[in-house]
Amino acid sequence: MRERSPGRGSAGGHVASRTGGAASRPRLRRSVRTPEEARALVASRLRADWTRVVVGALGWRSGFALGTSGLTEAAVMAQWESELFAQRMAWFDFAPVPGVRLETRRVPPAFELPARLVVDDVDAAVAFVGGDWPERVARGRVRADLLTAFPAVDHATRAAIIGQLDPWEDVEVDLLLRAARWFAEHPDHGLTARQVPVEGMGSKWLDQRGLSLVQRLIGLEDLGLRASRPPRVHLTYLDPDHLAAGGRRFDVATLGDGAEPAYRPGVVLISENRDTAQCFPEVPGGIAIEGSGAGGGTVAALAWVHEAPVRLYWGDLDAAGLEILAQFRRAGLDVDSILMDVATYRRWERFGVDHGHDAKPVRAGSAGVVHGLRPAEQELYDLLCDPARTTHARVEQERIPLAEAHAEVLRRVAAALGRGS
């Protein structure tokens, strides 16, 4: 197979370059893949297919083309010395593992080129690719066998679960399987997720880690869990007459258990953060609600919030704060924002930060129109998402004096009542 490179005087050697120049030489459609590039191809197929292969949902696809299909003698002669000879010789040093072999093709009159790498099965593939693949596939097979104990899981679902469990430790996989067996054996348990008595399972594990996987393992969308906590909204009463009469300042509205406040508010201010809600100055007829940095589904379920003539929202000046505002509106709550525009951001940006309390960088938003934002808010969102921005990623609402927010709320109330602009 080791034919010599054609001599410099041979046809297809330098003759082609003298007569036609580089521009007229037949070109390869693409370079012949090297052994390392072929290894990368096999690794890519492993990443895409291994879970389905180990559970029997997909057969291993064995062939990998090396880029010489369709090459003519003229193309080979034109680039033998400059490209093809070295690429071909790289395959002579290739040391395949069992189950991996090289197929060649002849280009008349005397050229033999690498054509296809054949990898017989997934075991040959993992041996060829190396790294952590042998351990991953072996671990996946063991777990696939364990999942056969759950008849509701078909091959495709089993493969998806194997992929999801891949980074899990064995002890946690065992916990998941025991939790699934418990639910299968106790369909009428009447417990909350924190009360499920599976040994070794922390009270938060099911909600935070395993709930959806347990559902898939036993084939049920509803595990019969009771809600562990009814949704609640924390309130701060701001009306000066109510407070002067000895009325309570703080309250909790619990959905489904009588969520009426001490008085029907004329002004509702939803604050993303707790401190600003609890410390907000007096506002006639006002109630401040702690938004708690979450979407607005719970607050939107309170009828008296919708009935308030003035409904305002105030949050952090960052991408997340604006996204939360949009979530409140998408939940059906028509609110106006205060102090969430570019002018406010510019005024207080010197107090901004780029890292959260956990020392992690503040998350950047995804550039584009956010459904639920109004033009001035979208303008601020665009600024914060700009990769060329040199300003801070977040200005927390606590950095803005409450007196500023209080004055803005009173201005909005006066405008709503037709007493000012």
Side-chain angles (χ1 to χ4, degrees):
M1 286 178 59
R2 282 183 181 267
E3 70 273 359
R4 294 188 304 165
S5 170
R8 293 184 179 275
S10 63
H14 282 243
V15 174
S17 61
R18 288 194 196 104
T19 57
S24 64
R25 291 169 57 188
R27 296 296 301 171
L28 291 173
R29 290 179 299 173
R30 58 181 176 183
S31 296
V32 178
R33 291 190 172 99
T34 67
E36 282 309 306
E37 289 171 334
R39 196 183 310 274
L41 277 179
V42 178
S44 177
R45 185 169 296 175
L46 269 176
R47 285 190 294 271
D49 293 349
W50 76 276
T51 58
R52 290 179 292 168
V53 171
V54 299
V55 302
L58 180 71
W60 174 251
R61 298 174 292 156
S62 60
F64 299 83
L66 300 178
T68 60
S69 175
L71 283 181
T72 64
E73 179 187 3
V76 173
M77 291 292 292
Q79 294 187 74
W80 183 257
E81 290 189 2
S82 62
E83 296 178 50
L84 271 179
F85 183 72
Q87 292 166 343
R88 178 185 179 280
M89 292 304 294
W91 282 99
F92 279 110
D93 297 325
F94 169 65
V97 300
V100 179
R101 63 187 183 279
L102 178 67
E103 292 182 350
T104 61
R105 63 178 289 262
R106 291 189 64 81
V107 178
F111 298 103
E112 189 170 7
L113 301 176
R116 200 167 73 115
L117 188 70
V118 178
V119 183
D120 287 340
D121 51 38
V122 72
D123 292 308
V126 299
F128 179 55
V129 173
D132 66 347
W133 276 107
E135 292 78 14
R136 289 180 71 184
V137 170
R139 184 171 63 240
R141 281 181 168 142
V142 171
R143 293 174 177 180
D145 287 342
L146 293 173
L147 296 187
T148 59
F150 298 91
V153 182
D154 58 24
H155 280 68
T157 303
R158 189 175 301 131
I161 293 174
I162 291 298
Q164 193 169 344
L165 296 181
D166 184 44
W168 286 31
E169 298 292 338
D170 287 343
V171 64
E172 204 170 16
V173 174
D174 178 65
L175 177 60
L176 172 68
L177 300 181
R178 288 190 285 115
R181 285 193 291 269
W182 187 92
F183 277 101
E185 296 167 1
H186 301 83
D188 301 316
H189 55 84
L191 301 176
T192 70
R194 293 191 174 208
Q195 294 171 329
V196 173
V198 174
E199 293 181 6
M201 186 172 73
S203 61
K204 298 179 181 179
W205 186 88
L206 196 60
D207 276 332
Q208 296 181 351
R209 190 78 161 152
L211 189 60
S212 63
L213 283 168
V214 168
Q215 290 172 318
R216 297 174 77 182
L217 283 174
I218 64 176
L220 294 177
E221 293 185 5
D222 185 356
L223 297 179
L225 292 167
R226 290 175 52 196
S228 56
R229 299 188 186 103
R232 290 178 172 176
V233 175
H234 292 265
L235 316 176
T236 301
Y237 294 114
L238 306 179
D239 182 71
D241 293 337
H242 167 79
L243 297 173
R248 60 187 181 276
R249 180 165 174 79
F250 304 111
D251 202 353
V252 177
T254 303
L255 297 190
D257 189 37
E260 288 298 311
Y263 54 85
R264 287 282 173 147
V267 181
V268 168
L269 171 65
I270 304 167
S271 171
E272 180 180 341
N273 298 305
R274 182 181 304 171
D275 286 7
T276 49
Q278 294 184 1
C279 300
F280 206 84
E282 295 178 352
V283 175
I287 292 179
I289 294 177
E290 296 174 24
S292 301
T298 301
V299 178
L302 300 172
W304 54 265
V305 173
H306 294 268
E307 295 167 3
V310 179
R311 298 173 301 277
L312 305 173
Y313 183 89
W314 182 28
D316 289 339
L317 301 177
D318 65 352
L322 290 161
E323 290 166 0
I324 293 168
L325 166 61
Q327 289 170 17
F328 272 85
R329 289 181 180 144
R330 292 199 297 270
L333 195 57
D334 184 15
V335 291
D336 295 319
S337 68
I338 65 167
L339 305 178
M340 298 186 74
D341 52 32
V342 171
T344 304
Y345 173 82
R346 296 291 190 196
R347 182 178 179 189
W348 301 103
E349 192 268 332
R350 66 187 186 278
F351 295 113
V353 296
D354 296 299
H355 293 80
H357 60 83
D358 55 3
K360 294 181 180 179
V362 173
R363 180 185 65 81
S366 301
V369 175
V370 178
H371 175 59
L373 292 184
R374 294 171 183 169
E377 300 152 358
Q378 182 68 52
E379 181 186 9
L380 176 59
Y381 190 82
D382 292 342
L383 185 155
L384 293 168
C385 293
D386 185 351
R389 172 183 51 80
T390 58
T391 52
H392 290 301
R394 170 184 293 158
V395 176
E396 296 167 304
Q397 67 176 163
E398 294 94 335
R399 301 281 75 82
I400 300 175
L402 280 177
E404 296 275 340
H406 186 232
E408 180 62 17
V409 169
L410 296 180
R411 188 187 72 79
R412 298 292 186 95
V413 172
L417 296 177
R419 292 203 300 257
S421 58

